[in-house]
Amino acid sequence: MNKEKRLQILTRLRDDNPNPTTELNFSNPFELLIAVLLSAQATDVGVNKATGPLFAVANNPQAILDLGLDTLKNYIKTIGLFNTKAENTMKTCQMLVDLHGGEVPEDREALEALPGVGRKTANVVLNTAFGWPTIAVDTHIDRVSNRTKFAMGKNVVEVEQKLLKVVPAEFKVDVHHWLILHGRYTCVARKPKCGSCIIEDLCEYKDKVE
Ligand code: SF4
């Protein structure tokens, strides 16, 4: 895909949704970190249902530690893989207290050192809590980027690198959200809704579904 088409796609996505953000509910960087940590292989809606009551009683690392592992599990038991996620959350909270004064570090290496936090989660936190121009590539972004030929790559890391290279600076902070939302609601996995897609004329997918 050429530069001009990419620019048109980004401009259209921005015009359609000028201030995109995550669908996870959060009110501080810590809540976002925990919500993202819990969201692996789960829906944002499912995570929000659990974190609403949880954050109402505990929305900082020490408060979660004070709840204890069993109580935490009880709050998040509706989320897939909750046992492992609860254990990682407790360990992460302990590290935040011990190493970072109870704050979420604005630092990739420090974030990725937290249990249960990988490159994608670190990218989301740096982008959405701190405004960094990072691009967290998940399954939706991977699919949309490859299908449209906007930024092709064999895996999420290659797609991330390509996106970082081809997306102009003014769009970088928000492109993650635009592509995720586009993949979640329009360019869906099985039967993309090409007939109602706002970038249909620019997309280079060969098997469009009308
Ligand atoms: S035209 Fe179809 S394949 Fe292309 S981005 Fe839109 S929904 Fe996806």
Side-chain angles (χ1 to χ4, degrees), residues 9 143-144 147-148 182 186-188 191-210:
I9 286 178
R143 182 179 64 253
V144 173
R147 245 185 203 165
T148 56
H182 196 65
T186 305
C187 196
V188 293
K191 207 174 165 208
K193 300 171 184 168
C194 305
S196 58
C197 175
I198 61 168
I199 56 168
E200 196 266 339
D201 56 317
L202 301 165
C203 166
E204 295 180 4
Y205 186 45
K206 286 202 175 64
D207 302 310
K208 287 179 191 160
V209 182
E210 292 306 327

Side-chain angles (χ1 to χ4, degrees), residues 160-175:
E160 179 186 332
Q161 281 160 358
K162 182 82 183 178
L163 285 168
L164 287 169
K165 203 168 136 194
V166 301
V167 173
E170 63 172 306
F171 298 100
K172 270 210 179 99
V173 171
D174 291 326
V175 70

